[in-house]
Each structure stands twice: as C-alpha cells, then as structure tokens.
Amino acid sequence: GTVDELASASGAAYVFTGLGPVVTAAAPTVTGINPATGTTAGGTSVTLTGTDFTGATGVTIGGTAATVTAVGATSITCTTPAGAAGTASVIVTTPSGANAANTLFTYVVPNTAPTVANAIVDFSVQEDAANVVRDLTAVFADPETPAVSLTYAVVGNTNTALVTATITSLTNLTLAFTAHGTGQSQVSVSATDAGGLAVTNTFLVMVTAVNDAPSVTFAQSTVTVLEDAGTQTMASFATFSPGPANESSQALVGYTVT
C-alpha cells in the first residue's frame, strides 16, 4: 500500500501505513537554560527547559559535549564543558533530530584574585623621617581589574603609636612617623578587585634612633652690665637639655661659651 505523512500542530509526524498510523516524535526545542552564564573553565551545573527531550542522546554547549546527569520530557540537567568567552548555542539531540541553533548560554572569564606584583619589603627610616608614600598601583596587579580601580585598605598596623598608615588619593599608602619615636611596626595593606577577591602585602617598618643635639634655654634673653664691671656671676643663667625625652638618659659632657 501507499505511505502518507501528515504533520501535527505539535510537530509530531503521523505516518499512515496499511497497518494504521504510526506517530513519529517531534524534534526537541530548547526554551531556556538556568543559570544562563558560567565560567570558561566549565563545570557549571545547568538545567535546560523545553519540549520533546525524552530519549535525548546528547547535549552540546558551544559545540562541545556537556555531561548529562538527568533527562526528562521537558528538562535536562547537565554540567557545562569548558568554552570560549561569549555566547554559546545549546543543542539537544534526540533520535528525532536536534533543536535550532541559539545564543542561550554565555561563557564568562572567571574572576581571579589580585596579586602582589612588586611587594613593599621590610625597610627602615631614621627617627623624625618625612612621610613615606608608596604608589600601590605599582605594587598590586589584577588580570581583570586595572590596578587604579582596585580598592586599597590598611588592614594591619601593630604599632599605631609609632606609625600612622593611611590610604591617600585612593591609590597611595602614606606612612607618617611620630616625632622622636623609635621602634618598629608591621603594616599590612590589601587590594580588592571588583569581584570581591583580595590579596595582602605585609612588611616591617623600622624607625632607628638619631642622636639629637642638646638644647639651651636662657633665663633672660638680654644681660646688661656696666662698662669695666669686671667678671660677673649669674645664678641659673641657663638650663641645658641633652635632647628630647627619649634621650633624657644622656649626660652633657661639656659647655662652650662664645
């Protein structure tokens, strides 16, 4: 006998033979994928929704086979393969065919943490040194976020009485030192990228002592004596200091009057 075929509204095909109609399943359709984005490294678990998935023989995303873990008539669960950044077509194949090409999934480059490209290493300054300013855009780097756009913060300072560490002008680390202070402090500064990942640079600042000159304070600024008065003696004419408070243990060893 003859064979006649009639397409149904659902996409299935009815084949009429001498033995009666035989239904041929429709090709699958894919209407969505959740989540619709994943990293280029792959490994994202996704759920496909659509129709006529029963008997699916494979799923590809961006032309590469995904790992299928569950198949139902209207949903498929699978794990994405690695892929190139950008949109990717999600294709389901069954014995009845495959769905049309699409741009339902998007691969994105995974965020990686910033790195310390040129570390601030341990260093020393002399007592009463001027402020030290370090450009943090030269210290940190990030593959996705420009160094100037990283967020910088002082996250540690073990001796705030000696060293004041602050972020200035958004990208500079400024270290200020207490007058006549000596000792050391461990300072930590962090850089955080737009994705919330961070890295920290920790270093030691040592402030070494400097011997300050002694000082003299006169009881009066002007002394008046008569002509030819001869030698004069004045009690408490001046007081002498060996230096600032941190040098109070030093002794004065001599005086010179000029």
Side-chain angles (χ1 to χ4, degrees):
T2 61
V3 177
D4 296 316
E5 182 175 297
L6 176 66
S8 73
S10 67
Y14 294 92
V15 179
F16 293 91
T17 69
L19 300 178
V22 177
V23 178
T24 302
T29 61
V30 178
T31 57
I33 181 171
N34 184 43
T37 61
T39 72
T40 54
T44 303
S45 179
V46 295
T47 299
L48 282 59
T49 54
T51 61
D52 299 301
F53 291 162
T54 302
T57 56
V59 174
T60 60
I61 300 177
T64 302
T67 302
V68 177
T69 55
V71 176
T74 58
S75 69
I76 293 176
T77 302
C78 61
T79 302
T80 62
T87 58
S89 187
V90 180
I91 303 297
V92 175
T93 302
T94 71
S96 297
N99 62 284
N102 53 70
T103 56
L104 291 175
F105 190 75
T106 301
Y107 279 108
V108 295
V109 177
N111 183 38
T112 54
T115 60
V116 179
N118 297 288
I120 302 174
V121 297
D122 299 350
F123 67 94
S124 63
V125 297
Q126 291 187 328
E127 175 187 351
D128 301 323
N131 290 357
V132 172
V133 179
R134 295 294 177 90
D135 179 6
L136 296 177
T137 64
V139 175
F140 297 96
D142 186 86
E144 298 86 33
T145 306
V148 71
S149 298
L150 295 172
T151 300
Y152 300 104
V154 176
V155 295
N157 183 359
T158 60
N159 193 349
T160 55
L162 175 65
V163 179
T164 300
T166 55
I167 301 299
T168 55
S169 301
L170 299 180
T171 59
N172 290 334
L173 171 67
T174 298
L175 303 175
F177 308 99
T178 301
H180 308 304
T182 59
Q184 64 183 33
S185 180
Q186 182 175 278
V187 177
S188 298
V189 60
S190 69
T192 304
D193 66 16
L197 299 181
V199 68
T200 300
N201 180 193
T202 299
F203 56 93
L204 193 67
V205 182
M206 294 156 284
V207 182
T208 59
V210 173
N211 186 28
D212 292 286
S215 62
V216 58
T217 303
F218 294 102
Q220 58 191 77
S221 58
T222 303
V223 177
T224 303
V225 296
L226 296 175
E227 182 181 358
D228 302 324
T231 301
Q232 303 290 310
T233 300
M234 298 183 65
S236 303
F237 170 68
T239 57
F240 297 89
S241 170
N246 66 326
E247 297 180 8
S248 59
S249 61
Q250 295 183 2
L252 294 169
V253 297
Y255 307 89
T256 300
V257 179
T258 58

